[in-house]
Structures are given as C-alpha cells and as structure tokens.
Amino acid sequence: MLKRFWLWLGRLLGKLLLFVLVVGAIGWLAGEAYYGWKFSGPVPTEEVIPADEAVQTRAIIEDAVRIVEQHRDNTRVLRDAHAKAHGCVKAEVSVLPDLDNSLRAGVFAEPGKTWQAVMRLSNGNAFPQFDSARDARGLAIKLFDVPGEKLMKSPVHANEQDFVMFNHPVFFVRDVAEYRQNFNAQANGQKVGAFFPGLDPRSWEIRHLIIALKTLAPAPDSPVSATYSSISPYKLGQANIKYRVIPDPQSCPPYALPEQNTALPNFLRNALYQQLSLDRVPACFAFQVQKQNAQHYMPIEDTSVEWDESISPFVTVATIKVPAQDFDSREQNLACDNLSFNPWHGLPEHRPIGGINRLRKAVYEAVSAYRHERNGASDATSP
Ligand code: HEM
C-alpha cells in the first residue's frame, strides 16, 4: 500500500516538474519572440526628450541624497553609488598611432597622443560591502590637461575628460521615468516594488529585473581583469557611439595573479596591490568604441538594450597602460575619495546622449557637491 502511494507521488511530482519545465520553455520562447519583434527596425539618431524629465530629475536628486544619508554609518559621506573604491591608480591613455580618420575626434583626434589619467576602480553598491558580495564593478577614468571648452563650466574640472563605466553591457532601467519609479521604491525599502509597481502585469519589468540580477555578479579575480562598458551612448564627433574598456594582457608583460583569499573583505584591492605594488607588473587595457547603426535597433533612449555587436563591432581607438605603482597610502585614498567623476566632465565631441545620461548630469553634480560639503572637503582634480 505504502509502496503504491510513493510510486503515485513520484509520478505526480514528475508530471508537475515536466509541466513547469514546458511552461517555462514556452514562456522563454514567447519572450524571445516578443522582444525579437519589439526590438527590431530603425531608430532615431537624435535624442527625444520627454516633457516631464526635469520634474522627474528633481525628485531623483532628493531620493539620491536620502540614500546617501541612509547608508552613512558613522563614516564620511560616501558616493550614492560606487561608494567603495579598490584604489585610484595612475594610467596612460594612448591614441592608436594608425587610428582610422572616421574615429578621430575629441581626445582621440591626434593619433599617437598619450594622455595622463587616473582610474578609480570600485564596487557598485551604495554601502561598502565585502568584495565577495554579488555586485557591479565600476571603472571611472579621468584624462588630465585636456584643452578646449567643456560641457560643464566648473573651473575645477575645466581640463578634464571623464569616462564612466561598469562591468555589464546594459542598464536595469530604460529611461528617466522608469528610473524615478524604481529608485523611489528602493529608497523606501521596497525591493520587489522596484520592478513590480502595481497589480497590472503590464507595469511589471521582469526583463529589467533579470538584468538587475545579472548585473549583481560575483567578483572578478582582480579589478583589472573585468570588461567595463559605458552602457549609455555618447557622441564621438558626429557619430553616436557606446564605448568600453577591455583587458589587453597581450600588450603587457605576462603575469599570473597569485590566488587571492576571497574571504578577505577587500581582496580586490589586495589583488591590485599585489600586481602593481608588490610584483611591480603593469596592467593593460584597450579602449573601444561601437558606432550606432540606426537602420537596426540601437536606441539612444533605452539603456536596457544592448547594441548588437554582430551588426556593429567594437573597434579599438586607444590603449591604456596602468604602470607599476604605489597607490594605497592614507593620503592617496583620501584624495581618491574626494575625486568627482561625471560623464559630463568633458568635450562636446564626447557629449553624453540619451535620457539616463541627461539625468546623470544633475544627479552626479548634486551628490558630489553634497558629499564634499558634508565632509568639509574640496572637490579635487587629481589624487
Ligand atoms: C549608464 C549607466 C551608469 C553607469 C555606467 C554608472 C557608473 C558609475 C560609476 C562607475 C560611478 C563611480 C564613479 C567614481 O568612481 O567616482 C558612479 C557614480 C555615481 N552614479 Fe552612476 N552609473 C550609471 C547610471 C547612474 C544613474 C542613472 C544614476 C542616477 C541618476 C547614477 C548615480 C550615480 C551617483 C550619484 C554617483 C556618485 C557621484 C559622486 O558622488 O561623485 N548613476 N556611477
């Protein structure tokens, strides 16, 4: 009797599992087909600015300052995002000597030119956590002594060109309105509400929830072994582009990082320190750009959509060398914390475009000003 019951239960559970798998596969295929259809066809090459964007932006700034204060734990006032740095390191950005004419613009106008720069490598969270926690990893680069009129009139940043990235190709919201909704829910502690704002399934952002979950990934072996993407689009002269920075070990002496103790809270800083400061081995990257092909679905106003690399591949415009160096002193770390990166610090030839970038202009400026004022520090220009 008991045996028959177990057999019956086993068959029932097997059928249930099969049913769930079939429904899951149909849902996945339907999703692929739907987005294949929705994300197809030509897109505008110009920005399209919604009427209420300024109001949404002001509300987001209020929430951003609220989050900065929520995450303060008897520490200095940290960044609202990417609060924890693994270090700020000196770098040299060299434009390819034979760069194609069509890609020569802004800081890439002069083939062979080398810019001195600083890189801040970070974890994405607003709260400094153990590096083993799933998170996005950030890379911000600031080029120094860049001549020419800049997009922002700040005298401190008058000679800078910034590039700000993290290690995932897409963002978990499409535009400013969705960011406002999502961020406000998070600031109010409603993690589920961020992606499911109401009972109406049409308002559910399941695809964006999946992007958010994928963005919160395990740590790389070292901050210099990840690929970092701009995610949002920019101008490069007349063209619309996205950019990324990828490791380029072939351009540096061979190096195998000894295994790190990933249970230590700051093992990514330790990895950087081991390579650059102890073993004195430089790290190399390539800076690449991907041009928009507006005949295909490569939108400016939706940062949740990746531009298809098989249609428009990334091409290298510059190499980046991070020389062997000491970067981990108290003074250097404090100066690193006092730096401000902003995608809008830079030349009109590299103007950020699209809603998420327009939003970032005001938010980065406001949060940077707020934390500098609360810390009694001045906005620094070099570490
Ligand atoms: C394309 C999407 C984005 C990327 C790639 C990105 C990346 C980054 C990175 C790497 C940093 C750290 C910069 C540093 O090292 O100092 C940062 C800081 C920051 N991000 Fe973003 N971010 C994005 C979107 C946003 C959005 C939509 C907002 C909010 C509107 C935002 C708000 C901030 C703020 C407030 C800071 C700190 C600014 C400061 O205090 O200096 N980010 N972001």
Side-chain angles (χ1 to χ4, degrees):
M1 181 71 181
L2 199 61
K3 190 175 157 197
R4 277 180 55 200
F5 170 74
W6 284 121
L7 281 171
W8 172 81
L9 191 66
R11 273 197 298 272
L12 184 72
L13 287 177
K15 279 181 190 163
L16 264 175
L17 185 65
L18 192 67
F19 177 73
V20 170
L21 285 176
V22 169
V23 170
I26 291 173
W28 184 76
L29 284 173
E32 288 286 303
Y34 172 69
Y35 285 113
W37 163 77
K38 191 176 171 199
F39 295 161
S40 63
V43 288
T45 54
E46 302 294 332
E47 292 178 273
V48 182
I49 306 178
D52 62 348
E53 201 170 272
V55 179
Q56 306 267 19
T57 300
R58 275 197 296 278
I60 291 168
I61 292 175
E62 279 168 27
D63 282 339
V65 170
R66 200 147 59 94
I67 286 197
V68 168
E69 282 300 333
Q70 277 172 12
H71 288 83
R72 202 165 147 254
D73 185 14
N74 290 320
T75 59
R76 287 159 56 79
V77 176
L78 303 174
R79 287 163 173 77
D80 165 53
H82 297 265
K84 177 177 175 178
H86 312 307
C88 278
V89 292
K90 290 194 177 73
E92 288 161 5
V93 179
S94 302
V95 183
L96 287 194
D98 54 353
L99 183 64
D100 193 80
N101 256 327
S102 66
L103 296 166
R104 293 184 195 174
V107 295
F108 307 117
E110 190 187 329
K113 160 95 187 161
T114 294
W115 300 97
Q116 297 304 314
V118 63
M119 275 183 167
R120 180 175 180 271
L121 296 139
S122 59
N123 281 345
N125 206 283
F127 188 76
Q129 330 179 77
F130 275 43
D131 292 343
S132 54
R134 295 179 77 98
D135 202 351
R137 320 289 155 171
L139 169 63
I141 308 179
K142 189 183 287 300
L143 271 52
F144 297 117
D145 302 321
V146 177
E149 180 106 357
K150 301 299 183 306
L151 293 162
M152 290 175 83
K153 300 299 163 220
S154 145
V156 183
H157 303 288
N159 299 315
E160 300 174 359
Q161 172 65 54
D162 291 2
F163 297 102
V164 186
M165 296 151 267
F166 68 72
N167 67 337
H168 199 64
V170 280
F171 201 46
F172 63 95
V173 297
R174 76 176 66 78
D175 57 17
V176 177
E178 190 191 349
Y179 192 88
R180 159 85 182 115
Q181 189 293 121
N182 186 297
F183 193 55
N184 183 255
Q186 288 191 52
N188 294 330
Q190 300 158 356
K191 286 199 170 149
V192 178
F195 295 93
F196 301 96
L199 292 175
D200 182 349
R202 283 171 303 179
S203 69
W204 297 353
E205 296 290 358
I206 296 171
R207 189 178 148 271
H208 293 178
L209 173 63
I210 294 170
I211 294 178
L213 294 174
K214 281 190 184 164
T215 305
L216 301 178
D221 294 340
S222 160
V224 295
S225 63
T227 290
Y228 300 92
S229 305
S230 73
I231 303 167
S232 52
Y234 291 79
K235 299 305 288 188
L236 178 61
Q238 298 303 314
N240 298 329
I241 56 127
K242 291 191 181 188
Y243 60 79
R244 73 177 182 190
V245 164
I246 63 163
D248 179 20
Q250 288 85 345
S251 301
C252 266
Y255 178 69
L257 178 72
E259 198 175 330
Q260 301 294 299
N261 179 353
T262 55
L264 292 176
N266 306 326
F267 79 86
L268 287 175
R269 175 180 287 265
N270 298 351
L272 201 61
Y273 181 78
Q274 169 111 39
Q275 176 167 353
L276 300 177
S277 308
L278 291 181
D279 297 339
R280 310 302 291 184
V281 179
C284 290
F285 291 98
F287 190 107
Q288 302 188 316
V289 302
Q290 178 191 36
K291 277 190 177 170
Q292 182 194 36
N293 178 340
Q295 294 312 309
H296 296 268
Y297 199 79
M298 301 188 185
I300 291 176
E301 297 294 345
D302 186 345
T303 39
S304 75
V305 176
E306 195 170 358
W307 291 2
D308 191 339
E309 275 188 66
S310 67
I311 294 168
S312 180
F314 279 92
V315 288
T316 300
V317 293
T319 55
I320 304 175
K321 184 176 175 190
V322 184
Q325 60 191 282
D326 299 315
F327 65 90
D328 199 12
S329 72
R330 196 193 80 87
E331 293 74 21
Q332 283 167 310
N333 288 327
L334 188 62
C336 178
D337 201 45
N338 284 334
L339 284 177
S340 294
F341 294 88
N342 186 322
W344 291 82
H345 289 158
L347 295 164
E349 290 90 331
H350 299 293
R351 187 167 69 80
I353 51 177
I356 288 298
N357 271 338
R358 292 189 296 273
L359 167 67
R360 289 166 87 192
K361 183 180 191 181
V363 178
Y364 282 51
E365 204 180 12
V367 172
S368 170
Y370 182 79
R371 68 182 166 89
H372 281 94
E373 190 196 319
R374 295 277 274 108
N375 291 330
S378 53
D379 197 354
T381 185
S382 65

